[in-house]
Amino acid sequence: MPSTVKGVIARSKGAPVEVVDIVVPDPGPGEAVVTLQACGVCHTDLHYREGGINDDFPFLLGHEAAGVVEAVGEGVTQVEPGDFVILNWRAVCGECRACAKGQPQYCFNTHNATQKMTLTDGTELSPALGIGAFAQKTLVAAGQCTKVPEADAAAVGLLGCGVMAGFGAAVNTGDVRRGESIAVFGCGGVGNAALAGAQVAGATTIIAVDVDDRKLEGAKRFGATHTINAKNQDPVQRIRELTGGFGADVVVEAVGRPETYEQAFYARDLAGRVVLVGVPTPDLKVTLPLIDIFGHGGSLKSSWYGDCLPSRDFPMLVDLYRQGRLDLDAFVSERIGIEDVEAAFDKMREGSVLRSVVIL
């Protein structure tokens, strides 16, 4: 029988979120129902609420989550009831041109559940990133469930989006290696995850750049060996000073602004790698002299979801967490109730938290 549970929705653009009753169908073919334990409050959820993604209101918010599979539909073999899973929004299809080339981390046709969750009056909900996890239960495509070793859901659930995006930007997209240098612009959750990834990968010079001394102090916990307040110092010049005059091997831009992207471009070594993981708004543009792009060599990359493959990366990162080598607990600023999501958005804007996590 379908379940009626509490969930957080955005009913219209810019309006405060509401806690309402939602109806979760029984899973159909290829689908799974997951009883959620925790879900992080991500900037993407705020973008949905403010109409920055699309206008398919009402949205069922939340996507950075972990829980236990309650039921599966016909044909599902990769997970079963009782499995502890992290939800992902890259359920690879195995058939698109990226998958056919052996690059499923770029899958262009990821799966979502076919059925819709609804309000009690039958109004269909649009789940954020195909997940909708600010709820006691959610319906997803079974491929959106990645089975991992059981661990604290509030910590490991963050791998479902922000931590994976930052860690993967450094390790998967930037391919930072032992002994290399890396600079990260922006020390929010994604930027700090890039710092942590660089530390795990063996980078020896790990430079954090921000305009907030509180965030820079916090970045040291995630592996930063040096910090730069870009309000007080020229970050390009300082990064060069810290890297023998050459610039960093890898520079991760986790802000999504033209001015910081240009600084990232000029702060890298010749043949270095620049990775954009900060999400820009559609109106922003970057202007760089073409001769400088040619003259610097190397690569300019964008990182989508940390170029991750959930089935490969999530279990590995949970293992690193359980071994004490990846401090996911440090990303959890507070644990809140389902009724506190709107207040968590306010704290996010203030920059006073890395992640508020809803305990369900």
Side-chain angles (χ1 to χ4, degrees), residues 175-227:
D175 190 26
V176 64
R177 300 163 196 163
R178 292 188 305 276
E180 286 196 320
S181 58
I182 183 171
V184 177
F185 284 74
C187 297
V190 173
N192 282 331
L195 297 170
Q199 183 181 50
V200 169
T204 50
T205 302
I206 304 174
I207 305 166
V209 184
D210 205 287
V211 294
D212 187 328
D213 283 330
R214 296 172 304 167
K215 291 184 177 180
L216 290 169
E217 186 62 29
K220 296 176 184 177
R221 181 172 179 180
F222 297 97
T225 59
H226 303 81
T227 62

Side-chain angles (χ1 to χ4, degrees), residues 27-351:
E31 296 176 339
V33 169
V34 177
T35 299
L36 296 159
Q37 296 180 354
C39 183
V41 182
C42 177
H43 276 87
T44 303
D45 296 306
L46 183 59
H47 289 327
Y48 272 104
R49 199 207 74 169
E50 295 182 343
I53 305 294
N54 57 53
D55 294 320
D56 294 336
F57 291 95
F59 292 111
L60 176 59
L61 300 180
H63 60 279
E64 197 175 62
V68 175
V69 175
E70 177 182 285
V72 298
E74 180 184 349
V76 174
T77 58
Q78 63 266 56
V79 291
E80 60 185 25
D83 284 347
F84 181 74
V85 296
I86 299 172
L87 299 184
N88 72 77
W89 44 271
R90 176 167 285 153
V92 299
C93 72
E95 298 174 350
C96 71
R97 59 194 186 279
C99 290
K101 290 191 293 184
Q103 296 179 312
Q105 70 272 25
Y106 300 129
C107 180
F108 302 131
N109 188 31
T110 59
H111 292 164
N112 295 322
T114 301
Q115 300 181 86
K116 289 287 190 179
M117 293 176 280
T118 68
L119 299 177
T120 53
D121 65 4
T123 301
E124 292 187 345
L125 296 168
S126 299
L129 289 175
I131 293 176
F134 287 154
Q136 293 160 322
K137 297 180 184 180
T138 192
L139 176 76
V140 293
Q144 293 178 280
C145 300
T146 304
K147 183 178 178 180
V148 297
E150 193 159 353
D152 179 13
V156 301
L158 301 183
L159 296 174
C161 188
V163 171
M164 187 69 255
F167 190 102
V171 176
N172 294 338
T173 315
D175 190 26
V176 64
R177 300 163 196 163
R178 292 188 305 276
E180 286 196 320
S181 58
I182 183 171
V184 177
F185 284 74
C187 297
V190 173
N192 282 331
L195 297 170
Q199 183 181 50
V200 169
T204 50
T205 302
I206 304 174
I207 305 166
V209 184
D210 205 287
V211 294
D212 187 328
D213 283 330
R214 296 172 304 167
K215 291 184 177 180
L216 290 169
E217 186 62 29
K220 296 176 184 177
R221 181 172 179 180
F222 297 97
T225 59
H226 303 81
T227 62
I228 300 170
N229 188 320
K231 287 195 302 186
N232 306 325
Q233 296 177 286
D234 179 346
V236 176
Q237 178 181 340
R238 183 61 181 143
I239 289 167
R240 291 191 176 280
E241 291 173 356
L242 293 170
T243 54
F246 301 115
D249 296 303
V250 179
V251 184
V252 174
E253 202 278 7
V255 182
R257 295 287 308 173
E259 56 270 28
T260 45
Y261 186 81
E262 291 179 18
Q263 289 172 333
F265 175 84
Y266 287 110
R268 66 174 172 144
D269 194 0
L270 292 175
R273 290 92 73 194
V274 176
V275 178
L276 175 64
V277 68
V279 181
T281 56
D283 57 304
L284 298 178
K285 299 181 186 300
V286 170
T287 301
L288 290 167
L290 196 57
I291 188 62
D292 286 356
I293 296 174
F294 175 80
H296 275 70
S299 60
L300 306 177
K301 298 182 176 183
S302 298
S303 186
W304 300 341
Y305 203 4
D307 290 347
C308 80
L309 187 60
S311 60
R312 175 196 65 198
D313 292 337
F314 287 7
M316 174 189 68
L317 295 182
V318 172
D319 281 343
L320 289 173
Y321 168 62
R322 284 157 55 102
Q323 294 165 13
R325 298 168 61 194
L326 177 61
D327 188 2
L328 296 178
D329 295 320
F331 290 92
V332 181
S333 302
E334 60 174 359
R335 298 173 188 238
I336 62 174
I338 196 172
E339 70 281 355
D340 298 321
V341 170
E342 188 66 31
F345 284 149
D346 292 336
K347 293 174 184 177
M348 181 189 299
R349 290 192 194 91
E350 295 166 0

